[in-house]
Amino acid sequence: MTGADLPSLRETVARHGLDARKSLGQHFLLDPAVCARIAGLAGALDGRHVIEVGPGPGGLTRALLASPAAEVVAVELDRRAVAVLADLAAAHPGRLRIVEGDALKVDPAALVPAPRKIIANLPYNVATPLLVGWLRGAAALEGMTLMFQQEVAERICAAPDTEAYGRLSVLAQWRCRCEMLLRLPPGAFSPPPKVWSAVVGFTPHAEDPGPALFAAMERTTAAAFGQRRKMLRGALKSLGNAEALLATAGIDGARRAETLSVAEFDRLAQLVAARS
Ligand code: SAM
């Protein structure tokens, strides 16, 4: 079977009895035009090693295989979907590798050689921990194009002094340039989720903070936004000697977390890392 002979996505889902499971965050994209549009948002794919997390019935996977990517490696937890994808792999010899397992336990850098891109319509129930893990290792990635619930996408891209600005905004924007690329209504998915979805593009910054500084940033943002209504001199107490920390960073202790820029969080995290 070649790519052109494959049954439609709807037929594939019906044939394999791939009814969507809520516990696996399954909302499938069955319109090839939407899948092609998302793949197109990932920029140049020629010679790239693409990791797709949660291929499901393979709509986005088909669009990625139609690109000049060197290979697509699809990580999927649902054994039923892995069986569906076997036909797709047979139609694209040597270009699709299917890894059955939990993407939370997979290191992208160990999975494929550089240049690497992650492109996925993520399972919403584990999207945030997946993203934080990839941000930790962002230096190994050329880029990521990821679909989230719109509310999460907005938090990722939010600017200071807005309600959506928080821990995820700082971590993501500290490590990557983040861009809201596309919003999709519930009806674009089968079954439709309750909320809108959105695709965010991530381009990692060149500097790699390394694990100790990344951990310090996680502790700093968790403390600051854990009590976001409090003044920073109170909110950062759990980090020890908050007054001295803020004074050294040149930040007024009466300010609240949501007013700090990513650069100011970087100054705090550098000091927290230097203390430990
Ligand atoms: N990419 C497909 C599409 O757009 O139609 C499916 C997207 S669906 C939102 C999320 C997919 O992630 C499902 O296929 C689900 O089985 C898979 N999944 C859920 N948790 C996972 C995990 N921890 N690791 C890998 N895949 C997972």
Side-chain angles (χ1 to χ4, degrees), residues 115-275:
R116 308 174 184 91
K117 286 191 174 184
I118 304 179
I119 305 170
N121 170 18
L122 291 176
Y124 295 157
N125 44 352
V126 288
T128 302
L130 281 170
L131 174 63
V132 172
W134 295 334
L135 291 171
R136 198 172 284 125
L141 302 171
E142 186 185 356
M144 300 188 278
T145 308
L146 306 175
M147 173 107 70
F148 300 90
Q149 289 181 356
Q150 180 171 268
E151 178 258 329
V152 176
E154 274 164 359
R155 284 201 272 129
I156 291 165
C157 300
D161 282 318
T162 62
E163 209 172 308
Y165 186 67
R167 175 179 164 258
L168 207 51
S169 332
V170 176
L171 277 184
Q173 295 171 34
W174 182 54
R175 292 302 299 116
C176 300
R177 185 163 58 79
C178 304
E179 260 180 295
M180 184 76 87
L181 297 175
L182 176 71
R183 295 172 198 263
L184 284 176
F189 302 84
S190 177
K194 288 201 176 75
V195 293
W196 277 60
S197 300
V199 177
V200 179
F202 299 82
T203 309
H205 300 311
E207 335 67 74
D208 181 2
L213 181 53
F214 193 92
M217 180 59 100
E218 284 192 289
R219 285 178 55 214
T220 306
T221 49
F225 288 105
Q227 305 186 64
R228 64 187 289 146
R229 304 274 164 245
K230 270 198 177 173
M231 287 188 251
L232 285 166
R233 67 166 72 94
L236 296 187
K237 263 190 184 146
S238 62
L239 299 177
N241 207 349
E243 297 273 7
L245 179 68
L246 288 158
T248 315
I251 295 168
D252 181 352
R255 288 173 63 189
R256 291 179 167 76
E258 67 199 37
T259 71
L260 260 59
S261 65
V262 173
E264 287 174 314
F265 270 109
D266 179 62
R267 289 216 297 277
L268 284 174
Q270 301 270 2
L271 292 167
V272 169
R275 279 173 167 190

Side-chain angles (χ1 to χ4, degrees), residues 9 13 18 21-31 35 38 52-61 74-81 85 99-106 119-127 130 147 188-190:
L9 285 164
V13 167
L18 192 61
R21 297 205 174 140
K22 211 173 166 186
S23 59
L24 288 168
Q26 292 182 333
H27 296 283
F28 302 136
L29 287 168
L30 301 181
D31 180 345
C35 295
I38 296 169
E52 186 194 0
V53 164
L60 184 55
T61 324
V75 183
E76 175 59 64
L77 194 54
D78 186 347
R79 184 162 291 174
R80 297 172 313 154
L85 294 162
V99 176
E100 184 180 338
D102 182 350
L104 284 165
K105 297 184 181 147
V106 172
I119 305 170
N121 170 18
L122 291 176
Y124 295 157
N125 44 352
V126 288
L130 281 170
M147 173 107 70
F189 302 84
S190 177

